[in-house]
Amino acid sequence: MDTIITAADGHRLSTYMAGSEADADRALVIVQEIFGVNDHMRYVADSFAREGYFVVVPALFDRAERDVELGYGPEDIERGLKLRSGIPEDKVLLDILAAAGAAPSGIPRGIIGYCWGGTVAWHGATRSTAFRAAVGWYGGGIAAAKDEVPKCPVQLHFGEKDGSIPMAHVEAIQAARPEVEVFVYPGAGHGFGCEARGSHVPKDAALAQQRSLDFFATHL
């Protein structure tokens, strides 16, 4: 369902929520790619809800333009990158904290993000204490923030053939943050977890998903 929440600075943003508010004993904030809260993100949210989580997916693009749902073509990528570039990191943090606050009170919260959202999940772990565990899939900005210290356990997933995240960046993250669990998928590229993209690798996506679920089961 779509629900409006309010961030600490008064900004109102839409969210997609899934799962049973009454029965869930764990919550997840799921952070979008640069394509908005589109069908894929709702699919991901519903998948986690079926695992028993209460899920909140904040529409981060609402600070630049509302109701954005993009595909995966070159024009969509260009537009998504432009929208992302206009939203300050500190405002994004406010929005994911608002999403965490929208989950039922008294239950532990985790955060998982993909692409841009993978980097945002890293920031959620290093720049806040709202989450007990964080998972990032192919977050391109994590290497630049590798010296930030996570305040909760973190698990990261990268494709070995990701054209936008060189293996040198992944190795730098591993060297700087040996306490972080890092998985690399040989032969996989960027967006290997998205069933709507040509880069989708079902085998690796399923393995990364199971590792993510196991990680949250341990830490939440």
Side-chain angles (χ1 to χ4, degrees):
M1 63 178 176
D2 293 317
T3 303
I4 301 297
I5 62 174
T6 304
D9 64 347
H11 169 65
R12 289 169 58 80
L13 66 151
S14 61
T15 65
Y16 178 77
M17 296 187 183
S20 171
E21 190 168 357
D23 298 331
D25 59 1
R26 295 171 292 179
L28 283 181
V29 173
I30 297 180
V31 193
Q32 65 176 72
E33 304 167 306
I34 59 165
F35 307 105
V37 182
N38 59 10
D39 285 343
H40 168 64
M41 295 314 305
R42 289 189 286 268
Y43 169 81
V44 171
D46 292 344
S47 296
F48 278 105
R50 286 193 293 271
E51 297 291 338
Y53 291 90
F54 182 81
V55 176
V56 184
V57 189
L60 301 184
F61 279 164
D62 277 8
R63 287 191 180 267
E65 182 181 333
R66 297 187 181 275
D67 302 320
V68 175
E69 294 190 33
L70 303 178
Y72 300 96
E75 292 181 357
D76 298 294
I77 294 171
E78 182 180 358
R79 186 176 174 208
L81 289 170
K82 184 176 180 180
L83 288 166
R84 182 193 68 180
S85 69
I87 305 172
E89 288 182 351
D90 62 329
K91 300 300 186 183
V92 173
L93 185 62
L94 292 181
D95 291 348
I96 64 170
L97 293 178
S105 61
I107 64 174
R109 287 136 166 81
I111 184 169
I112 184 169
Y114 306 82
C115 182
W116 177 33
T119 302
V120 174
W122 177 259
H123 294 162
T126 63
R127 302 178 185 181
S128 83
T129 57
F131 305 102
R132 289 197 190 175
V135 176
W137 291 37
Y138 30 83
I142 296 173
K146 66 184 185 301
D147 294 326
E148 298 183 19
V149 180
K151 297 177 175 64
C152 67
V154 177
Q155 182 184 84
L156 301 176
H157 302 268
F158 297 99
E160 184 183 38
K161 303 299 183 183
D162 193 325
S164 61
I165 307 175
M167 281 306 300
H169 288 189
V170 177
E171 291 163 1
I173 295 166
Q174 291 174 302
R177 301 263 65 91
E179 74 276 23
V180 170
E181 192 172 34
V182 178
F183 292 103
V184 176
Y185 299 83
H190 194 76
F192 70 83
C194 178
E195 78 291 339
R197 302 179 73 169
S199 56
H200 184 223
V201 183
K203 168 179 62 70
D204 291 337
L207 179 56
Q209 177 70 359
Q210 189 59 55
R211 285 169 168 167
S212 299
L213 287 168
D214 292 345
F215 184 77
F216 285 131
T218 298
H219 296 291
L220 294 186

